[in-house]
PDB file of all heavy atoms in Angstrom:
ATOM      1  N   GLY B  50     -22.635  11.819  10.316  1.00 94.00           N
ATOM      2  CA  GLY B  50     -23.937  11.208  10.198  1.00 94.00           C
ATOM      3  C   GLY B  50     -23.777   9.699  10.324  1.00 94.00           C
ATOM      4  O   GLY B  50     -22.643   9.195  10.276  1.00 94.00           O
ATOM      5  N   ARG B  51     -24.892   9.000  10.447  1.00 93.00           N
ATOM      6  CA  ARG B  51     -24.820   7.540  10.559  1.00 93.00           C
ATOM      7  C   ARG B  51     -24.700   6.907   9.186  1.00 93.00           C
ATOM      8  O   ARG B  51     -25.104   7.474   8.193  1.00 93.00           O
ATOM      9  CB  ARG B  51     -26.112   7.022  11.205  1.00 93.00           C
ATOM     10  CG  ARG B  51     -26.263   7.483  12.643  1.00 93.00           C
ATOM     11  CD  ARG B  51     -27.478   6.826  13.274  1.00 93.00           C
ATOM     12  NE  ARG B  51     -27.770   7.540  14.501  1.00 93.00           N
ATOM     13  CZ  ARG B  51     -28.896   8.222  14.720  1.00 93.00           C
ATOM     14  NH1 ARG B  51     -29.877   8.210  13.860  1.00 93.00           N
ATOM     15  NH2 ARG B  51     -29.050   8.875  15.878  1.00 93.00           N
ATOM     16  N   THR B  52     -24.131   5.717   9.160  1.00 94.00           N
ATOM     17  CA  THR B  52     -24.238   4.869   7.971  1.00 94.00           C
ATOM     18  C   THR B  52     -24.936   3.577   8.399  1.00 94.00           C
ATOM     19  O   THR B  52     -24.738   3.116   9.521  1.00 94.00           O
ATOM     20  CB  THR B  52     -22.850   4.570   7.343  1.00 94.00           C
ATOM     21  OG1 THR B  52     -21.970   4.107   8.351  1.00 94.00           O
ATOM     22  CG2 THR B  52     -22.235   5.793   6.683  1.00 94.00           C
ATOM     23  N   ASP B  53     -25.718   3.033   7.484  1.00 92.00           N
ATOM     24  CA  ASP B  53     -26.486   1.795   7.764  1.00 92.00           C
ATOM     25  C   ASP B  53     -25.555   0.587   7.915  1.00 92.00           C
ATOM     26  O   ASP B  53     -24.414   0.599   7.453  1.00 92.00           O
ATOM     27  CB  ASP B  53     -27.435   1.475   6.602  1.00 92.00           C
ATOM     28  CG  ASP B  53     -28.463   2.505   6.376  1.00 92.00           C
ATOM     29  OD1 ASP B  53     -28.659   3.416   7.222  1.00 92.00           O
ATOM     30  OD2 ASP B  53     -29.130   2.442   5.305  1.00 92.00           O
ATOM     31  N   ALA B  54     -26.065  -0.455   8.489  1.00 93.00           N
ATOM     32  CA  ALA B  54     -25.373  -1.728   8.597  1.00 93.00           C
ATOM     33  C   ALA B  54     -24.912  -2.148   7.196  1.00 93.00           C
ATOM     34  O   ALA B  54     -25.699  -2.172   6.263  1.00 93.00           O
ATOM     35  CB  ALA B  54     -26.255  -2.801   9.199  1.00 93.00           C
ATOM     36  N   GLY B  55     -23.644  -2.485   7.034  1.00 96.00           N
ATOM     37  CA  GLY B  55     -23.108  -2.966   5.761  1.00 96.00           C
ATOM     38  C   GLY B  55     -22.656  -1.892   4.788  1.00 96.00           C
ATOM     39  O   GLY B  55     -22.065  -2.191   3.779  1.00 96.00           O
ATOM     40  N   VAL B  56     -22.933  -0.622   5.112  1.00 97.00           N
ATOM     41  CA  VAL B  56     -22.496   0.485   4.263  1.00 97.00           C
ATOM     42  C   VAL B  56     -21.049   0.831   4.647  1.00 97.00           C
ATOM     43  O   VAL B  56     -20.658   0.756   5.791  1.00 97.00           O
ATOM     44  CB  VAL B  56     -23.413   1.722   4.412  1.00 97.00           C
ATOM     45  CG1 VAL B  56     -22.847   2.949   3.730  1.00 97.00           C
ATOM     46  CG2 VAL B  56     -24.812   1.408   3.886  1.00 97.00           C
ATOM     47  N   HIS B  57     -20.278   1.212   3.610  1.00 98.00           N
ATOM     48  CA  HIS B  57     -18.843   1.491   3.817  1.00 98.00           C
ATOM     49  C   HIS B  57     -18.593   3.008   3.803  1.00 98.00           C
ATOM     50  O   HIS B  57     -19.456   3.774   3.436  1.00 98.00           O
ATOM     51  CB  HIS B  57     -18.034   0.829   2.692  1.00 98.00           C
ATOM     52  CG  HIS B  57     -18.499  -0.553   2.368  1.00 98.00           C
ATOM     53  ND1 HIS B  57     -18.312  -1.589   3.260  1.00 98.00           N
ATOM     54  CD2 HIS B  57     -19.198  -1.062   1.337  1.00 98.00           C
ATOM     55  CE1 HIS B  57     -18.854  -2.673   2.747  1.00 98.00           C
ATOM     56  NE2 HIS B  57     -19.391  -2.393   1.582  1.00 98.00           N
ATOM     57  N   ALA B  58     -17.379   3.360   4.194  1.00 98.00           N
ATOM     58  CA  ALA B  58     -16.953   4.767   4.115  1.00 98.00           C
ATOM     59  C   ALA B  58     -15.518   4.844   3.683  1.00 98.00           C
ATOM     60  O   ALA B  58     -14.651   4.235   4.322  1.00 98.00           O
ATOM     61  CB  ALA B  58     -17.159   5.478   5.471  1.00 98.00           C
TER      62      ALA B  58
END
Side-chain angles (χ1 to χ4, degrees):
Chain B
R51 296 185 193 117
T52 50
D53 298 347
V56 171
H57 317 291

